[in-house]
Amino acid sequence: MPRNIFHEMFIDMAWVEAKYAMEWEDDENKEEEVEFIISNLMEKEPLQGRTPLHVLAANSATRTPTLAAVASEVVFLYPLALTTKDDNHETPLEIAVANSSYPEIIKLLSITNLETLDQDELDRQYASEEYHVGQALKLIHAEDWPACIEFLDSKKPDDQFIFELLSYNLCGTTIIHEIAICSQKYHDDLVFLLLRLVHRHPPALHTQAEDENDYEVDDDDEFPWDTTPAEFARGEDAWPSIGNIILEFLLVDVR
């Protein structure tokens, strides 16, 4: 059986592309899409009989937030990969140890009982950036701006956390993009939230998500993928929202 897309992406350490590939696009067909993803994670490549998790373990010496998220999701979707041996009778854990993988990956691959761990718990323990971004996105998509502020207050004064939150690649967008998309109604706390985020980390307005894998987007999709939040707020492709009106004013102050 030839290598599949996950073997190739993990060999290339294309973690952003891999994360994108593991996200289902249609909730109505979620079950079929997840089954297809799992079937790929089960496959062994022909040279050494390795699953994608074996390949990930061999290429995880350098930690990135997206690698941590991908590893967590692979283990959640196909936990049997943890104990699967390749043609050299090695598990992913043994490969990770031999290749000096970073500590969180080794801990993740050392799990022996997944029955009590759901996806959120795996992310919380082994992919903290993904977990915190997920918590923030739930509040943003609900347009619960007071709760977003409480969420930030709970992390104060951790500027590193704010930096990671604002620079995290959401498969083509950033947290500020997401706020702009969801902010269709004016709220004082929405203004306060954007002011706080930009004040804590002004470069966030000019941070472009690393769209290095050139994700395919339908021709009729008008979303301006390759933009910074600043570009997203103005110009021909500006997204119409209250959040972007606020961003437009903020741009005057941070130039």
Side-chain angles (χ1 to χ4, degrees):
M1 185 175 293
R3 292 172 177 165
N4 64 37
I5 57 170
F6 291 114
H7 288 113
E8 297 291 349
M9 287 187 287
F10 293 175
I11 288 171
D12 294 337
M13 294 184 284
W15 308 123
V16 174
E17 184 176 7
K19 186 174 184 296
Y20 185 80
M22 285 195 289
E23 296 197 0
W24 48 87
E25 299 178 359
D26 186 352
D27 285 340
E28 291 185 3
N29 298 314
K30 175 182 175 180
E31 186 174 339
E32 291 83 356
E33 292 187 34
V34 172
E35 287 179 358
F36 175 75
I37 294 169
I38 293 174
S39 69
N40 277 273
L41 297 177
M42 295 171 62
E43 290 180 357
K44 293 185 174 183
E45 51 81 35
L47 296 179
Q48 295 177 289
R50 290 182 168 181
T51 67
L53 188 60
H54 285 91
V55 178
L56 183 150
N59 292 280
S60 56
T62 302
R63 186 189 190 282
T64 70
T66 314
L67 165 58
V70 168
S72 174
E73 188 153 4
V74 171
V75 169
F76 174 72
L77 291 174
Y78 184 50
L80 288 178
L82 290 169
T83 55
T84 299
K85 294 186 177 183
D86 63 14
D87 291 347
N88 298 318
H89 304 287
E90 292 181 313
T91 64
L93 174 60
E94 291 169 324
I95 291 173
V97 171
N99 286 274
S100 301
S101 294
Y102 69 86
E104 286 102 324
I105 281 287
I106 292 176
K107 290 178 182 177
L108 174 64
L109 299 180
S110 300
I111 293 175
T112 57
N113 184 4
L114 277 170
E115 294 180 1
T116 59
L117 292 179
D118 60 17
Q119 179 72 73
D120 280 347
E121 184 62 16
L122 279 173
D123 286 343
R124 187 184 71 80
Q125 292 193 36
Y126 306 104
S128 59
E129 295 94 344
E130 176 75 6
Y131 175 77
H132 288 123
V133 166
Q135 298 300 304
L137 284 177
K138 289 177 184 177
L139 300 175
I140 291 169
H141 292 162
E143 297 190 54
D144 191 345
W145 311 122
C148 287
I149 291 172
E150 290 180 10
F151 177 77
L152 289 181
D153 285 342
S154 71
K155 307 299 177 185
K156 196 167 57 175
D158 190 348
D159 286 330
Q160 180 62 28
F161 171 80
I162 297 295
F163 170 77
E164 291 173 353
L165 184 70
L166 294 178
S167 60
Y168 196 79
N169 188 344
L170 301 167
C171 295
T173 64
T174 65
I175 284 289
I176 295 238
H177 286 96
E178 294 293 324
I179 293 173
I181 294 168
C182 296
S183 52
Q184 297 302 313
K185 296 180 180 179
Y186 178 84
H187 195 289
D188 287 345
D189 284 327
L190 167 61
V191 180
F192 186 44
L193 174 65
L194 284 170
L195 283 169
R196 284 189 59 181
L197 290 174
V198 174
H199 174 71
R200 295 281 288 279
H201 188 59
L205 280 174
H206 302 282
T207 299
Q208 182 171 330
E210 297 175 6
D211 196 13
E212 59 193 46
N213 297 294
D214 296 324
Y215 306 130
E216 294 183 4
V217 180
D218 294 337
D219 291 338
D220 60 349
D221 193 332
E222 298 178 356
F223 189 87
W225 289 99
D226 298 316
T227 59
T228 67
E231 294 165 335
F232 187 71
R234 54 169 51 150
E236 294 181 2
D237 294 323
W239 196 265
S241 74
I242 296 297
N244 270 337
I245 293 173
I246 298 167
L247 287 176
E248 177 70 22
F249 281 104
L250 291 178
L251 284 170
V252 175
D253 294 329
V254 299
R255 276 189 301 225

